[in-house]
Amino acid sequence: MCCRPYRVTIGTSSGFGKRLMLSILARGDRVIASARSLEKLETMISSSSIQDRNRLRTLHLDVSEGEEKIKAQIDLAVTFWGQIDVLVNNAGIGLASLVEEGGSKILRKQFETNVFGVLDVRLQSSLP
């Protein structure tokens, strides 16, 4: 293989996604890191100890924005290095309330991101 694998990680501004992105970069692979808040992602990256930023691209991607916007962002991601070798769909939210406290509106928001958002990314990125 001529080049290191190219990976898209979704949900990289904190937690597991952040650690995964840093680990992938440390092993020499290329990464497109995405997050709902590009500003938060850029701030995190600028304060990290990433050695070679030429292997890193960033992308705004909110998985709850719907299929059309996700498709446009996935298509943009492909233009960076020509393909997607590995997709890590780590986006998700946890809301600290019981259904009785937060109501169905909060539960719908969580489902929109954690269920339908994940499904939309999968359908828009890996199926012909």
Side-chain angles (χ1 to χ4, degrees):
M1 175 173 24
C2 73
C3 303
R4 299 295 299 196
Y6 151 53
R7 303 161 195 270
V8 175
T9 56
I10 299 172
T12 56
S13 60
S14 64
F16 177 77
K18 171 186 171 183
R19 286 164 186 74
L20 179 62
M21 176 197 63
L22 294 173
S23 176
I24 292 168
L25 287 169
R27 57 179 267 147
D29 294 346
R30 298 173 288 167
V31 175
I32 294 180
S34 69
R36 269 188 321 259
S37 170
L38 196 54
E39 182 179 329
K40 182 178 176 184
L41 179 60
E42 294 286 355
T43 299
M44 180 277 296
I45 289 170
S46 67
S47 66
S48 70
S49 60
I50 297 171
Q51 299 296 319
D52 183 3
R53 295 192 186 199
N54 291 328
R55 291 182 286 107
L56 174 64
R57 303 289 184 273
T58 59
L59 184 70
H60 169 263
L61 180 61
D62 184 343
V63 300
S64 66
E65 289 184 334
E67 291 180 48
E68 293 80 21
K69 288 188 179 183
I70 291 171
K71 173 104 173 90
Q73 292 304 85
I74 295 293
D75 289 347
L76 177 60
V78 169
T79 68
F80 293 143
W81 285 305
Q83 66 189 35
I84 294 176
D85 294 325
V86 178
L87 173 74
V88 179
N89 193 353
N90 183 61
I93 58 172
L95 301 172
S97 72
L98 300 172
V99 174
E100 292 86 354
E101 294 171 344
S104 64
K105 185 175 183 179
I106 288 179
L107 186 59
R108 285 178 204 280
K109 180 178 180 182
Q110 190 166 11
F111 259 75
E112 187 64 40
T113 299
N114 297 351
V115 177
F116 300 115
V118 170
L119 179 62
D120 288 346
V121 169
R122 171 83 171 128
L123 294 173
Q124 297 306 321
S125 64
S126 61
L127 296 178

